[in-house]
């Protein structure tokens, strides 16, 4: 009897211990899911939805960054047009009708491989991930813009990188991932080439477009009005791209009226579409919020510094360090080292190499600043070399881009797509470092960007868009890449 009583007593105690552990675990899980949301940041629902940019249909827990990003970022000065908001809701309905798993998608894939002038109910863009994460994001936004303009469904090839580790699904009630059983999966990189099409004979069921750093003149014919009239009849269009080709879409006459309605303030294309599409997964969001709360949240002012070295050899270069100091102190982004307590300034440095942040940290640790400001310098990672398609590396990269976009001011390395993503998401016009020549510090070291839009590095400067490039007030040459073009808001530039 005593043994039985002892047994049931032990069983009861064990049950109570397990119940306590279960309650503690659930509290920890809840804490992880709520991920240190700022206590005084209870913003109204319209702020969470970015003034209508985002749909209300999503479950908030499935993608914390979508509903919490407004708690970490100052409200944007750029309001999306009601026409853009309406267009996004219409696109979401189109994606539900035509996306993977629907009868329309099944019929469309069955027609592949058969030349036909029948477009059918749904038309598609297949976007292929190419190059580093910055290039991928800016080309993805360009492809989505083209999808909005042409009423196509955007599907993302997931073979080269598992986007589910990086981004939440952006469209409610459906998926943007191209199914792995897509009939042309093995031929995507070599499907019907643009240059090989004889438009007088047939309209192909699928077409491959090549907008890479080494594209040729025939690839750029895509941006001609005549070719657009023909491409509209092709059901499936495959984009191989690592560039931000959105500026050249503004130079196609049939798109201009629609684009101006979508973006009355013209240099907000990437800002609005990037915030609509790019929502880090909960795992990446955890990296972002933990770092932000630990190092940036208490600062009176934050500065992001993104360093990309293009020379050979790369790594830490003294003239690049001097250029960063010259730019940040000349533009009064950081005080001189020299002396009333003033502000706390937090500097976020992102670079493959640790020496740039270590040098800055040592300067402000060893000597007071001329203004009395306390300057603290942080760097989330030092990967030493780029590791595209390595899961944790890509997650860190996305987290650092996003953290930079949360800062008050931003300094970036001129033509870097990493910097383009950060300034676009943040609605910032960065100070861009000029590319050094002859291993010396440029004078002046940097310039303030006229637009928060990325630069299209390889545009069609000749042919059908040649005159338009030189005469259109809302597209101009890039300051950091003279053969490139970018979208500007003419009211603020000219």
């Amino acid at each position: 009897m005593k043994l039985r009583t002892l047994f049931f007593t032990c069983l009861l105690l064990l049950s109570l211990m397990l119940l306590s552990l279960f309650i503690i675990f659930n509290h920890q899980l809840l804490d992880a899911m709520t991920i240190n949301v700022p206590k005084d940041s209870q913003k109204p629902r319209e702020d969470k939805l970015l003034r209508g940019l985002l749909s209300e249909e999503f479950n908030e827990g499935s993608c914390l960054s979508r509903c919490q990003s407004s708690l970490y970022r100052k409200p944007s000065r750029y309001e999306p047009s009601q026409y853009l908001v309406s267009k996004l809701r219409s696109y979401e309905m189109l994606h539900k009708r035509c996306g993977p798993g629907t009868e329309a998608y099944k019929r469309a894939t069955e027609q592949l491989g058969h030349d036909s002038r029948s477009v059918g109910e749904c038309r598609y863009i297949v976007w292929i991930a190419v190059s580093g994460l910055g290039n991928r994001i800016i080309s993805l936004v360009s492809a989505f813009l083209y999808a909005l303009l042409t009423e196509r469904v955007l599907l993302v090839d997931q073979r080269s990188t598992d986007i589910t580790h990086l981004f939440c699904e952006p469209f409610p009630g459906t998926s943007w991932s191209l199914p792995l059983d897509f009939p042309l999966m093995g031929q995507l990189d070599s499907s019907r080439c643009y240059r090989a099409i004889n438009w007088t004979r047939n309209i192909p069921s699928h077409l491959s477009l090549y907008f890479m750093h080494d594209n040729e003149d025939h690839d750029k014919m895509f941006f001609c009005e005549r070719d657009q009239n023909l491409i509209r009849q092709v059901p499936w269009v495959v984009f191989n791209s690592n560039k931000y080709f959105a500026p050249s879409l503004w130079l196609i006459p049939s798109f201009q009226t629609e684009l101006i309605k979508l973006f009355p303030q013209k240099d907000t294309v990437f800002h609005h579409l990037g915030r609509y599409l790019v929502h880090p997964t909960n795992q990446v969001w955890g990296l972002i919020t933990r770092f932000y709360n630990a190092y940036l949240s208490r600062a009176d002012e934050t500065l992001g510094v993104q360093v990309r070295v293009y020379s050979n050899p790369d790594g830490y270069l003294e003239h690049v360090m001097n250029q960063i100091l010259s730019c940040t102190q000349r533009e009064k982004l950081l005080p001189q080292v020299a002396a009333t307590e003033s502000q706390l300034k937090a500097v976020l440095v992102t670079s493959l190499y640790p020496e740039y942040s270590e040098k800055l940290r040592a300067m402000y640790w060893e000597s007071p600043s001329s203004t009395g400001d306390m300057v603290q310098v942080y760097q989330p990672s030092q990967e030493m070399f780029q590791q595209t398609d390595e899961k944790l590396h890509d997650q860190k990269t996305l987290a650092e881009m996003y953290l930079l976009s949360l800062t008050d001011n931003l300094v970036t390395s001129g033509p870097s797509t990493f910097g383009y993503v950060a300034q676009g998401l943040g609605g910032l016009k960065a100070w861009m470092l000029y590319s050094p020549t002859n291993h010396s510090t440029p004078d002046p070291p940097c310039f303030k960007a006229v637009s928060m839009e990325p630069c299209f590095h390889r545009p069609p400067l000749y042919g059908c868009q040649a005159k338009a490039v030189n005469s259109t007030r809302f597209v101009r040459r890039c300051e950091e890449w003279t053969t490139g073009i970018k979208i500007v808001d003419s009211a603020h530039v000219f």
Side-chain angles (χ1 to χ4, degrees):
M1 189 69 177
K2 290 182 178 179
L3 288 174
R4 181 179 298 177
T5 303
L6 180 62
F7 172 78
F8 282 110
T9 302
C10 291
L11 186 62
L12 178 61
L13 289 172
L14 180 62
S15 300
L16 290 171
M17 289 174 62
L18 289 173
L19 179 61
S20 299
L21 288 172
F22 178 75
I23 292 171
I24 292 170
F25 174 78
N26 273 316
H27 279 298
Q28 290 176 338
L29 180 62
L30 182 61
D31 288 342
M33 293 298 286
T34 53
I35 220 123
N36 293 325
V37 177
K39 295 178 181 178
D40 58 346
S41 300
Q42 298 302 315
K43 297 191 177 183
R45 179 69 178 169
E46 58 267 23
D47 284 347
K48 290 184 179 180
L49 298 177
L50 307 183
R51 301 176 193 171
L53 201 64
L54 305 181
S55 169
E56 295 188 53
E57 291 188 39
F58 284 100
N59 178 333
E60 291 190 0
S62 66
C63 185
L64 296 174
S65 64
R66 180 182 284 108
C67 58
Q68 293 181 4
S69 63
S70 61
L71 305 180
Y72 290 86
R73 193 192 306 282
K74 292 179 180 178
S76 173
R77 295 186 292 120
Y78 310 99
E79 185 167 357
S81 69
Q82 285 305 304
Y83 187 71
L84 173 60
V85 171
S86 174
K87 191 80 170 181
L88 291 173
R89 300 294 86 81
S90 296
Y91 174 84
E92 291 163 1
M93 291 188 288
L94 174 67
H95 203 110
K96 284 181 181 178
R97 277 199 317 275
C98 300
T102 63
E103 281 300 315
Y105 173 83
K106 181 181 178 182
R107 288 194 300 270
T109 55
E110 289 172 349
Q111 294 173 2
L112 274 168
H114 304 286
D115 290 339
S116 171
R117 291 184 180 273
S118 174
V119 173
E121 179 185 2
C122 304
R123 296 176 301 166
Y124 299 85
I125 290 172
V126 175
W127 174 81
I128 298 177
V130 183
S131 301
L133 188 57
N135 293 83
R136 295 179 179 192
I137 292 175
I138 62 174
S139 72
L140 177 61
V141 169
S142 299
F144 182 61
L145 176 62
Y146 186 70
L148 287 181
L149 294 171
T150 58
E151 297 184 339
R152 290 179 180 269
V153 171
L154 176 68
L155 298 177
V156 175
D157 175 29
Q158 53 183 317
R159 292 171 304 161
S160 59
T161 181
D162 190 349
I163 62 169
T164 59
H165 293 314
L166 296 174
F167 306 117
C168 302
E169 290 278 1
F171 312 129
T174 184
S175 175
W176 67 345
S177 295
L178 182 71
L180 293 175
D181 62 355
F182 180 63
L184 298 180
M185 187 61 78
Q187 309 171 40
L188 282 181
D189 299 322
S190 59
S191 59
R192 296 292 291 276
C193 183
Y194 188 64
R195 76 182 83 174
I197 300 301
N198 184 344
W199 294 105
T200 61
R201 285 188 177 179
N202 59 351
I203 298 295
S205 62
H206 57 280
L207 184 62
S208 179
L209 301 171
Y210 187 81
F211 301 142
M212 303 288 287
H213 58 279
D214 58 347
N215 61 357
E216 299 178 2
D217 288 342
H218 56 259
D219 299 307
K220 299 171 185 176
M221 294 298 291
F222 166 82
F223 298 106
C224 296
E225 189 72 70
R226 170 187 172 276
D227 289 58
Q228 279 301 313
N229 291 332
L230 296 167
I231 293 170
R232 286 188 182 95
Q233 304 174 59
V234 180
W236 291 85
V237 174
V238 179
F239 277 96
N240 290 273
S241 174
N242 63 355
K243 296 298 179 188
Y244 186 68
F245 57 87
S248 280
L249 296 179
W250 282 79
L251 301 178
I252 299 174
S254 59
F255 290 159
Q256 282 186 10
T257 300
E258 181 76 355
L259 282 165
I260 291 170
K261 288 169 65 178
L262 289 168
F263 305 100
Q265 190 163 349
K266 300 171 186 64
D267 61 348
T268 59
V269 176
F270 186 90
H271 179 58
H272 291 321
L273 297 188
R275 291 185 306 148
Y276 174 78
L277 286 177
V278 179
H279 304 288
T281 59
N282 288 355
Q283 185 174 0
V284 179
W285 188 240
L287 297 175
I288 294 167
T289 54
R290 285 192 294 273
F291 188 93
Y292 183 93
N293 290 323
Y295 302 113
L296 304 180
S297 60
R298 292 183 295 276
D300 299 295
E301 185 178 316
T302 55
L303 170 67
V305 179
Q306 181 257 333
V307 186
R308 180 67 187 268
V309 179
Y310 293 98
S311 62
N312 187 16
D314 53 12
Y316 177 77
L317 300 172
E318 192 68 29
H319 66 272
V320 175
M321 187 70 239
N322 292 337
Q323 183 180 7
I324 295 167
L325 293 173
S326 177
C327 175
T328 55
Q329 294 178 354
R330 178 174 178 155
E331 302 299 335
K332 295 182 171 49
L333 301 172
L334 285 177
Q336 297 279 347
V337 174
T340 106
E341 182 177 345
S342 188
Q343 291 187 319
L344 169 61
K345 293 192 175 185
V347 182
L348 169 67
V349 177
T350 65
S351 175
L352 292 172
Y353 316 104
E355 292 88 350
Y356 296 101
S357 62
E358 290 172 357
K359 179 83 170 182
L360 272 176
R361 187 181 299 114
M363 284 177 52
Y364 289 104
W365 173 259
E366 295 168 1
S367 304
S369 67
S370 59
T371 60
D373 292 338
M374 180 181 292
V375 179
Q376 297 180 340
V377 181
Y378 307 101
Q379 182 171 345
S381 69
Q382 306 96 31
E383 299 287 280
M384 301 305 293
F385 60 93
Q386 190 166 314
Q387 306 166 53
T388 300
D389 287 336
E390 199 281 316
K391 174 185 172 182
L392 184 57
H393 176 83
D394 283 347
Q395 289 181 324
K396 289 178 181 177
T397 301
L398 179 57
E400 292 186 2
M401 287 179 187
Y402 210 96
L403 282 165
L404 284 174
S405 77
L406 300 178
T407 59
D408 299 312
N409 294 298
L410 186 60
V411 176
T412 67
S413 296
S416 170
T417 57
F418 192 116
Y420 290 158
V421 172
Q423 74 166 1
L425 291 179
L428 303 168
K429 294 180 181 178
W431 279 266
M432 293 187 174
L433 300 171
Y434 285 108
S435 297
T437 57
N438 300 322
H439 302 284
S440 60
T441 301
D443 186 19
C446 61
F447 61 93
K448 183 72 176 288
V450 298
S451 167
M452 56 190 173
E453 283 286 298
C455 176
F456 182 15
H457 291 155
R458 288 295 303 270
L461 296 179
Y462 308 101
C464 60
Q465 290 198 346
K467 292 182 180 179
V469 168
N470 296 320
S471 62
T472 304
R473 291 174 62 84
F474 43 78
V475 173
R476 59 165 285 177
R477 300 295 180 99
C478 306
E479 312 100 295
E480 71 276 20
W481 194 271
T482 55
T483 58
I485 58 175
K486 67 168 55 173
I487 305 165
V488 299
D489 191 66
S490 57
H492 296 152
V493 176
F494 299 95

